[in-house]
Amino acid sequence: MRLLCVLLLVCLACCSASRSRDWAHHGAPMFADLTVREMKAVRAYLHGIPELELTDARSKTLKKNSILLMELHLPRKHEALRALDRGQAKPQRQARVIVQFGNLTKPNITEYIVSPLPSPNTHEVKTFKGNKPILFESRPITAAEYEHITDILTKITTKVHKLLFETTGGFSFTNCSDRCLTFSDIAPRGLGPGERRTWIMLQKFVEGYFIHPVGFEILINHQDLDPENWTVEKVWYNSMYFDSVEELVEKYESGGVEKIKLPDHDDNDLYSTYIPRGQRNTPTNIHGPKLVEPQGPRYHVDRNFVEYAGWSFAYRVRSSAGLQVFDLRFNGERIAYEISLQEAIAFYAGDTPAAMQTKYIDAGWAMGTSTYELAPGIDCPEIATFVDLYHYFDTDKPVHHKNALCIFEMTTAMPLRRHFNSNFQGGYNFYGGLDSTVLVLRTTSTVYNYDYIWDFLFYQNGVVEVKVSATGYIHATFFTPNGLHYGTKVYNYVLGNLHTHLIHYKVDLDIAGRENSFETMDLKFVNFTNPWSPDHFVVQSKLHRTEHKTERSAAFRFGKKFPRYVHFNNPNERNKWGHKKSYRIQFNSHAHSVLPRGWREENGISWSRYPLAVTRHKDSEATSSSIYAQNDPWEPVVSFEDYIRNNEDIVNQDLVAWVTVGFLHVPHSEDIPNTATPGNAVGFFLRPFNFFDEDPSVASRSTVIVRPGKDNKLKVQRWTPEVIGHCVTDKPFFYNGTYAGV
């Protein structure tokens, strides 16, 4: 009878695990990005509504009504969980659509929820928490607006052609063949709500033009929807300000301003190029190490559903902000409902007007759409599974980004754990080791000059690592002596400007269920009489636990002491040893505040006040930022501070952790030509803390145990085949680099 009961329990456990897996697989499509078919259907539906008067987004006029962005609108959590936890029908798929109404007496931005997909027939207006209005001037800049900016720059640079030609040694903005000038535009576009004034700096249009400023910057007011009414408000040249282009030209000709003569360069010896130069330190006739899968992949991908070594999850790449993971489970138990990138900012300082105005808030540039092609063997191993992505932003048809996401398993070249058990007589009793392999989910965002590499890494012991690595070109401005207070001279007339990168994530943990609490743990010293030697005292550390009961208590400010352990636990579920099942967030970050609290643009990034804040889950608090924050950070549509202002109870509730990581970057000469990834990676770990009864990686059959045998014969115990030999791909390197409408 006892054996029968045991067999019945095993059978029930297997059935439960299988059912959990099937429901996770069943629910994953809820989180999948919009398909090409869905995007085209939504566009056709909205364009078929006469009163909207929609026209093509890419038409040059700014006085038009057009679709700006289209992406998946997530289902409400409780509706999604019915499908994920009970296998019930999935909620209808919906699209979030941003429409810019420029052809109205009072232009506005309106967001719609369009449903059901793939054959929409209804739409409703989407509002933000507190019904905050969206200023028309807060919209992201579009290709049409850039065309008009190019047109006005053509007129401006024609007036200062001689100055620019002499300054740069023969470069010009028009009629220039291979010696052209280009420009970079700076945001935010003004000093207060409702403005649309942009500082623009000119650069030599060569490979890596980001680090070739020419010392000419101009402030253009382009708020009016008729470009004929755009004006030049200020000009900056060689550390001097002018009220007009004409004033600069007059003073340049009369000797009232010191002239600049930039050093010429040879295209074959360009400091911003990737072409190798300098001493060669590795042989060029043999390859370095390669990652291989001797018997094929050990993970499984079915559209946006991924399984690996006990892990399963769904993913998407949100066009506005980027990579997200949903319904993350280990051995069938959900660890997190959502882990998602929310925002990335880079706030600069400098001496030129462009530098001092640069406060990039990258969702405002539709950061998620800048997921360009990944190169095999460089961006991802050749053996990776490459996935195409599709985006709809400032376009009239979906844009296809080939090989823009990759999934692969890799070895970390570091044991997950190991032990050499010495016999202290020149030998050993046993050696045990387990190699560490992880699954990596990766994509990139190239937001103008910077490249962010976004990673989720899944370890065999129930640990998740969320990481971003920064590379690409620094944002450089024209060197002035005073600029050394704000950065480093990295080349003749080039200043690498100091800046702080901050990245924000939403981490919706569901530890053994939705009813979670939040606890911090640190150490404090205790001093007591030594019980076995009463004439002495013992001083040692003691655990000090704090349960945080309100949102404000769980919002930790930068500059304040941060606890070393932060846990999310389920007060009602315990492991075999009586401890609350918990997961810990462990930081790898050097982040700090970028502006004083409440100072103008800081209001738009109020999440940046906190390395960690904990709130109760609300569907109305889905994101911490918005696509409008870049061009209206002063009165943001989404204010993270509103989420914790009501100071709700967070004991035994559905909790969300909001995590800020980042680093200060003071550019240096080694950032030429590019910022390298070593030392420029930050993120956090999700680590089980009494969630399991023991390390779950003991289930891995990759373990190797070695014991000494008689006559010096080894006893090797292993559960996977021994790998002998090697192999690499037989596919030649291929990279296309294009992305186009479909």
Side-chain angles (χ1 to χ4, degrees):
M1 177 63 75
R2 183 177 297 173
L3 179 61
L4 184 62
C5 289
V6 170
L7 290 173
L8 183 61
L9 288 172
V10 171
C11 182
L12 288 172
C14 291
C15 290
S16 176
S18 175
R19 188 172 56 203
S20 173
R21 186 268 174 200
D22 290 343
W23 288 346
H25 184 254
H26 158 74
M30 291 186 295
F31 308 111
D33 287 311
L34 298 181
T35 65
V36 169
R37 176 189 173 192
E38 289 172 331
M39 292 176 182
K40 290 183 175 180
V42 169
R43 183 184 189 278
Y45 167 72
L46 291 176
H47 273 254
I49 301 173
E51 55 267 30
L52 296 183
E53 298 181 343
L54 296 183
T55 186
D56 289 350
R58 285 302 181 100
S59 62
K60 194 171 180 179
T61 179
L62 301 180
K63 295 180 180 179
K64 64 188 174 195
N65 303 341
S66 62
I67 295 173
L68 178 67
L69 179 137
M70 188 188 303
E71 63 185 14
L72 176 74
H73 179 66
L74 288 172
R76 288 188 284 268
K77 183 176 180 179
H78 72 276
E79 294 176 347
L81 289 179
R82 287 201 289 262
L84 295 169
D85 293 345
R86 302 178 201 168
Q88 295 182 4
K90 297 185 289 289
Q92 291 180 333
R93 280 172 63 80
Q94 299 178 312
R96 171 203 180 201
V97 184
I98 300 175
V99 177
Q100 48 184 8
F101 288 99
N103 192 25
L104 297 178
T105 305
K106 189 175 181 180
N108 72 78
I109 296 287
T110 304
E111 294 202 7
Y112 295 102
I113 305 301
V114 179
S115 60
L117 303 181
S119 303
N121 54 37
T122 62
H123 64 282
E124 59 180 289
V125 174
K126 178 186 180 298
T127 58
F128 289 87
K129 191 178 180 74
N131 291 317
K132 294 182 180 179
I134 307 169
L135 288 181
F136 191 66
E137 290 79 9
S138 71
R139 71 195 186 279
I141 200 163
T142 62
E145 197 166 1
Y146 274 126
E147 278 193 68
H148 291 294
I149 287 175
T150 301
D151 290 344
I152 193 172
L153 284 176
T154 298
K155 297 175 183 176
I156 292 167
T157 55
T158 299
K159 297 178 181 178
V160 291
H161 173 78
K162 180 182 177 184
L163 177 151
L164 293 173
F165 197 84
E166 292 178 352
T167 296
T168 61
F171 282 72
S172 60
F173 195 75
T174 56
N175 302 320
C176 51
S177 63
D178 62 343
R179 295 178 76 80
C180 295
L181 295 174
T182 188
F183 69 92
S184 294
D185 55 315
I186 306 305
R189 304 177 192 281
L191 300 174
E195 294 186 6
R196 207 160 175 85
R197 299 186 294 154
T198 298
W199 275 102
I200 291 172
M201 62 175 175
L202 297 189
Q203 299 144 321
K204 291 182 179 180
F205 189 41
V206 295
E207 280 192 8
Y209 60 85
F210 313 102
I211 52 177
H212 288 270
V214 302
F216 181 89
E217 300 177 3
I218 190 162
L219 178 61
I220 296 175
N221 188 326
H222 53 113
Q223 181 176 353
D224 200 291
L225 293 181
D226 183 354
E228 293 298 320
N229 296 326
W230 291 2
T231 58
V232 173
E233 295 192 351
K234 284 287 180 183
V235 182
W236 183 91
Y237 177 78
N238 196 12
S239 298
M240 294 180 64
Y241 287 90
F242 306 90
D243 291 328
S244 67
V245 176
E246 290 76 13
E247 181 190 359
L248 168 60
V249 171
E250 188 276 324
K251 290 187 176 178
Y252 182 86
E253 294 291 349
S254 64
V257 56
E258 182 181 350
K259 297 182 179 180
I260 306 170
K261 178 62 176 74
L262 298 179
D264 207 354
H265 67 266
D266 183 347
D267 290 338
N268 296 319
D269 187 29
L270 196 61
Y271 62 89
S272 56
T273 184
Y274 267 71
I275 296 172
R277 52 192 179 271
Q279 180 179 345
R280 185 179 68 202
N281 295 315
T282 54
T284 58
N285 60 337
I286 58 173
H287 283 285
K290 293 287 184 180
L291 190 63
V292 299
E293 294 171 332
Q295 294 165 287
R298 302 194 298 178
Y299 58 91
H300 175 69
V301 180
D302 183 4
R303 291 172 295 179
N304 74 316
F305 181 67
V306 182
E307 295 174 286
Y308 167 76
W311 289 106
S312 72
F313 59 87
Y315 72 85
R316 71 180 281 222
V317 179
R318 184 162 58 119
S319 294
S320 52
L323 191 58
Q324 302 183 328
V325 163
F326 292 91
D327 192 30
L328 176 64
R329 306 186 190 203
F330 189 76
N331 290 339
E333 285 193 87
R334 182 177 301 112
I335 306 299
Y337 176 75
E338 175 186 352
I339 310 174
S340 58
L341 173 63
Q342 295 291 306
E343 186 62 273
I345 67 171
F347 275 38
Y348 287 76
D351 186 46
T352 79
M356 63 183 71
Q357 181 68 3
T358 302
K359 298 173 181 66
Y360 288 140
I361 306 174
D362 288 338
W365 305 76
M367 173 171 62
T369 65
S370 59
T371 51
Y372 302 113
E373 185 175 355
L374 300 168
I378 303 168
D379 297 320
C380 310
E382 292 97 335
I383 59 168
T385 298
F386 289 88
V387 179
D388 295 354
L389 298 176
Y390 297 86
H391 297 293
Y392 197 108
F393 172 70
D394 190 26
T395 183
D396 291 305
K397 54 186 176 181
V399 177
H400 177 202
H401 291 241
K402 186 174 176 58
N403 294 345
L405 178 142
C406 68
I407 303 167
F408 58 93
E409 185 184 10
M410 73 173 187
T411 174
T412 65
M414 172 71 70
L416 187 68
R417 59 173 186 270
R418 57 95 69 188
H419 177 64
F420 177 85
N421 191 248
S422 172
N423 65 5
F424 303 104
Q425 296 177 357
Y428 66 103
N429 299 312
F430 77 92
Y431 165 83
L434 173 61
D435 67 329
S436 180
T437 56
V438 298
L439 187 76
V440 181
L441 174 70
R442 173 175 294 170
T443 189
T444 61
S445 295
T446 302
V447 192
Y448 182 59
N449 57 306
Y450 257 109
D451 295 63
Y452 295 107
I453 303 171
W454 310 106
D455 283 346
F456 283 81
L457 297 92
F458 304 91
Y459 292 79
Q460 298 174 72
N461 61 341
V463 172
V464 182
E465 183 181 1
V466 182
K467 183 172 72 171
V468 56
S469 304
T471 179
Y473 286 93
I474 59 173
H475 179 60
T477 57
F478 192 77
F479 175 79
T480 64
N482 197 45
L484 290 174
H485 295 293
Y486 307 104
T488 306
K489 185 176 183 179
V490 294
Y491 211 77
N492 289 327
Y493 295 100
V494 183
L495 182 80
N497 296 78
L498 71 84
H499 54 283
T500 297
H501 292 278
L502 293 182
I503 315 296
H504 203 229
Y505 290 93
K506 178 183 182 181
V507 186
D508 184 350
L509 292 165
D510 286 353
I511 305 303
R514 295 181 68 180
E515 294 76 31
N516 290 174
S517 294
F518 175 64
E519 178 185 74
T520 61
M521 191 164 65
D522 226 315
L523 302 179
K524 66 177 182 180
F525 293 120
V526 290
N527 185 341
F528 56 90
T529 301
N530 190 325
W532 50 269
S533 181
D535 293 336
H536 299 87
F537 293 92
V538 174
V539 176
Q540 63 182 12
S541 296
K542 179 181 180 180
L543 289 176
H544 178 68
R545 302 174 186 268
T546 303
E547 182 182 29
H548 295 267
K549 297 184 178 182
T550 63
E551 291 176 327
R552 186 59 73 183
S553 169
F556 299 91
R557 293 288 305 274
F558 277 116
K560 304 291 184 180
K561 184 180 179 182
F562 189 74
R564 281 176 278 187
Y565 275 62
V566 294
H567 302 146
F568 291 80
N569 63 62
N570 189 317
N572 312 306
E573 296 288 336
R574 297 179 183 267
N575 72 358
K576 184 177 180 180
W577 317 115
H579 298 291
K580 298 173 189 175
K581 286 195 165 189
S582 303
Y583 252 77
R584 171 191 177 196
I585 297 180
Q586 179 178 321
F587 284 71
N588 171 29
S589 172
H590 324 289
H592 210 280
S593 301
V594 292
L595 284 174
R597 181 185 176 115
W599 175 256
R600 294 170 55 180
E601 295 87 357
E602 194 270 349
N603 288 313
I605 54 164
S606 56
W607 53 263
S608 71
R609 299 167 184 171
Y610 311 101
L612 176 67
V614 181
T615 65
R616 284 172 64 167
H617 173 272
K618 286 188 175 68
D619 289 312
S620 61
E621 297 176 355
T623 63
S624 61
S625 188
S626 81
I627 201 168
Y628 314 108
Q630 175 66 93
N631 292 329
D632 186 6
W634 309 281
E635 296 178 355
V637 172
V638 174
S639 173
F640 179 75
E641 193 67 31
D642 291 346
Y643 296 0
I644 58 179
R645 189 167 280 129
N646 55 5
N647 200 26
E648 289 186 299
D649 167 46
I650 58 170
V651 176
N652 214 16
Q653 302 288 341
D654 187 359
L655 302 183
V656 177
W658 303 88
V659 176
T660 305
V661 296
F663 61 97
L664 168 66
H665 185 184
V666 180
H668 42 90
S669 55
E670 292 80 9
D671 283 312
I672 302 299
N674 256 176
T675 295
T677 53
N680 287 318
V682 295
F684 60 94
F685 292 86
L686 296 178
R687 299 181 59 186
F689 190 84
N690 295 317
F691 187 87
F692 304 102
D693 297 334
E694 62 180 353
D695 185 338
S697 69
V698 293
S700 173
R701 274 27 180 194
S702 296
T703 300
V704 175
I705 302 174
V706 183
R707 298 181 179 90
K710 295 179 180 179
D711 302 324
N712 293 322
K713 291 184 178 179
L714 299 179
K715 291 182 180 179
V716 180
Q717 192 173 10
R718 64 188 316 142
W719 290 262
T720 56
E722 185 174 2
V723 177
I724 300 175
H726 63 277
C727 55
V728 293
T729 180
D730 57 358
K731 297 178 181 178
F733 176 80
F734 176 79
Y735 189 82
N736 181 271
T738 61
Y739 46 98
V742 291

